[in-house]
Amino acid sequence: MKKLSRKTFFKGLALGTISLPFFIRALGGQNQAQPSSPNIISTKRYRWKMVTTWPPNFPVLGEGCQLFADWVKEMSDGRMEIEVYGGGELVPPLEAFNAVRMNVAEVGSGAGYYWKGIVPAAQFFASIPFGLNAQQMNAWLITGGGMQLWEELYAEYGLVPAPGGNTGVQMGGWFNREINSMADFKGLKMRIPGVGAKVLEKAGGAPVLLPGAELYTGLERGVIDATEWIGPYHDYEMGFHQIAKYYYTPGWHEAGTTLEFFFNKEKFDALEKDLQMILRTAAHRLNMWMLCEFETKNSIYLEKLRQEAEVDIRQFPDEVLRQLRQYTEEAVAEEIAGDPFSQKVYASYNAFRNRAGNWSKLTEKVFYNSLQI
Ligand code: CA
C-alpha cells in the first residue's frame, strides 16, 4: 500500500479524497469479504440471575437493569437470558456484591460506594465528593486507565466489573433550614451517604442513615432536617417538595455517580467470547442510556417542580462549598490511609481530575459562562 504521511492521510480523509475502503485497509482491516470458515455459533443456552440494590422496577436504575437483560437476550438470539431481581427479592439490597461472589446470582447491579466496607477502593469507581463528573468518569474509566484498575481490584473478589450507568450531577438536597454559612450545619440532621456523611460530620452536622422508604416521613416529622436523594425526577416522585422548604444545588457530594454491573468471574470467563462481548457491550449501552435518561427526565421534572410547587431553589454559598471541599480532602485522606490499593486508585483518579479540570476550565466552563446560564 502506498505510504502516506499522517498529515496527508487525515487531510485526505477530511476532504473526501481518500475513500473509506482505503481508510479501512490503512487501519489494517478488510473491506472485502474474505473466504473464511463459517461462523460456528454455540447453541449452549444460559439462564442467569441478576441481583440489584434497587427497589423492584425502580425508575431509571431498576428499569435500566431490565433493559440490559432485554438487550442481552436480543443480541444473543436468546442464548443468554437474565432474570432481574429487585433489592430484597432474592437477597437484601446491600448483599448483592457478596451474593454474586458466592454465585447465588451470576450478575449484580449497584454502586461501588455501597461495598466500601468490603472493598474500600470501590467507592472511587462510583463517586466521591467534589469528584469527577459523568463525562470525566466515563473518560477516566474507558480510556483513562480507570477500568484496568477496577478489573484488577474486583478480580481479587472473584468479580468482573463493568460501568452500567451514570446519574449525572445530582442536587444538593432538600432542607428545612437555610444554609447561609458553615454555622448552619451545626446539629443538622441529614441523610447523606458515603464520604459525604464524613464531611457533614466534620462540618458539625449529624448524618443519619435512613432507607429510602423512610425519608419522606422522616423529613416530615423532623427526624431529619435535610436529605439528599438524586435529582428532580426521582425527588419529585418521592414528594419532597411537599414537605421541604429549600432545594439546594449543587450535589457537591455526587457530581456524576457511576453505577455498575459485576459478574461472577468464573462464570463470565467460562462464557463463549461473543457472549462476553455482548454483556460488555450491553453494559456500555446502558451506561450511555442511563445518563441520557437522567438528563432528559431531570430537565423535564425541574420544570414541573418550578411550575407545580413553590420550591425555593437555592445555591450553597461559595464559602460553604470551599469549606466542604477542604473537609472532603481530609476525609478522603483518612479513607485511603492504610489501604494501598485505595491509594493507587486515588492517585490515578486525582491525576485525571487535575488534567481534566484544567481542560474543562479552558473550555466547558468558559462556554457555560458565555451562555450566562
Ligand atoms: Ca444521592
Side-chain angles (χ1 to χ4, degrees):
M1 190 174 70
K2 196 178 136 197
K3 273 256 182 208
L4 287 178
S5 77
R6 193 181 163 84
K7 196 174 159 193
T8 316
F9 179 74
F10 284 103
K11 197 174 157 199
L13 194 67
L15 294 173
T17 53
I18 290 175
S19 68
L20 190 61
F22 181 92
F23 177 62
I24 292 166
R25 277 201 304 280
L27 289 177
Q30 300 291 333
N31 70 309
Q32 284 166 350
Q34 298 290 319
S36 64
S37 54
N39 287 330
I40 311 235
I41 293 180
S42 164
T43 52
K44 197 167 169 193
R45 299 179 90 81
Y46 298 85
R47 281 193 68 93
W48 277 15
K49 296 187 193 81
M50 185 199 296
V51 287
T52 74
T53 50
W54 327 115
N57 306 312
F58 192 61
V60 190
L61 300 107
E63 282 169 3
C65 292
Q66 188 54 53
L67 273 179
F68 170 84
D70 294 345
W71 293 335
V72 168
K73 185 179 174 186
E74 199 175 331
M75 281 195 271
S76 67
D77 199 20
R79 285 157 60 213
M80 166 73 78
E81 284 191 55
I82 299 173
E83 181 137 10
V84 179
Y85 292 89
E89 287 186 330
L90 195 61
V91 297
L94 298 181
E95 286 299 315
F97 190 81
N98 279 333
V100 176
R101 290 174 69 197
M102 309 299 285
N103 208 15
V104 174
E106 294 83 357
V107 198
S109 161
Y113 52 32
Y114 290 148
W115 349 111
K116 73 173 187 130
I118 307 167
V119 200
Q123 58 189 319
F124 294 103
F125 300 102
S127 177
I128 59 164
F130 297 99
L132 302 174
N133 68 15
Q135 177 167 297
Q136 294 164 344
M137 270 308 282
N138 283 331
W140 177 57
L141 289 175
I142 295 168
T143 56
M147 208 59 233
Q148 285 88 332
L149 289 168
W150 200 2
E151 281 174 358
E152 188 187 334
L153 176 68
Y154 275 30
E156 287 178 35
Y157 296 85
L159 298 171
V160 174
N166 196 300
T167 64
V169 66
Q170 300 193 9
M171 282 292 283
W174 298 86
F175 290 70
N176 273 326
R177 185 194 285 192
E178 273 185 85
I179 302 292
N180 295 317
S181 72
M182 288 309 290
D184 296 314
F185 281 101
K186 294 273 174 288
L188 181 86
K189 289 172 288 174
M190 179 174 183
R191 183 267 185 189
I192 180 168
V195 182
K198 280 199 165 182
V199 173
L200 179 69
E201 224 161 34
K202 286 177 185 286
V208 180
L209 264 179
L210 273 186
E214 290 170 32
L215 288 178
Y216 184 93
T217 44
L219 193 58
E220 191 180 29
R221 292 179 190 165
V223 176
I224 47 175
D225 309 305
T227 184
E228 70 82 51
W229 189 233
I230 307 178
Y233 177 41
H234 289 83
D235 295 10
Y236 178 93
E237 297 291 337
M238 291 287 269
F240 294 137
H241 53 289
Q242 295 154 2
I243 47 167
K245 288 190 193 133
Y246 310 106
Y247 196 18
Y248 269 92
T249 190
W252 54 272
H253 59 299
E254 292 191 86
T257 303
T258 291
L259 309 168
E260 63 180 29
F261 287 115
F262 38 95
F263 304 96
N264 179 287
K265 193 170 185 316
E266 229 175 77
K267 289 291 175 83
F268 187 89
D269 289 347
L271 287 175
E272 291 82 358
K273 291 279 177 251
D274 65 328
L275 283 181
Q276 291 180 355
M277 186 56 93
I278 284 172
L279 290 171
R280 288 190 197 278
T281 304
H284 274 267
R285 181 177 176 190
L286 188 67
N287 195 44
M288 168 60 90
W289 177 88
M290 200 176 286
L291 183 59
C292 297
E293 179 71 348
F294 268 111
E295 186 79 2
T296 301
K297 287 277 169 55
N298 277 335
S299 55
I300 291 170
Y301 277 77
L302 173 63
E303 214 166 72
K304 263 169 101 74
L305 276 174
R306 281 184 162 143
Q307 282 165 0
E308 292 176 22
E310 283 176 27
V311 181
D312 193 345
I313 299 176
R314 300 281 183 99
Q315 193 175 326
F316 290 118
D318 289 348
E319 175 53 26
V320 164
L321 290 172
R322 196 195 60 75
Q323 187 60 54
L324 292 176
R325 210 169 68 229
Q326 166 122 26
Y327 287 144
T328 295
E329 276 177 36
E330 294 171 20
V332 170
E334 289 162 18
E335 289 281 313
I336 64 174
D339 182 41
F341 208 99
S342 288
Q343 289 161 18
K344 184 160 102 170
V345 174
Y346 186 61
S348 164
Y349 183 100
N350 201 35
F352 189 93
R353 177 168 56 178
N354 289 336
R355 280 195 306 270
N358 284 336
W359 169 233
S360 58
K361 199 156 85 183
L362 190 73
T363 49
E364 304 219 14
K365 190 175 179 191
V366 179
F367 176 72
Y368 276 114
N369 286 345
S370 78
L371 296 176
Q372 297 195 313
I373 56 171

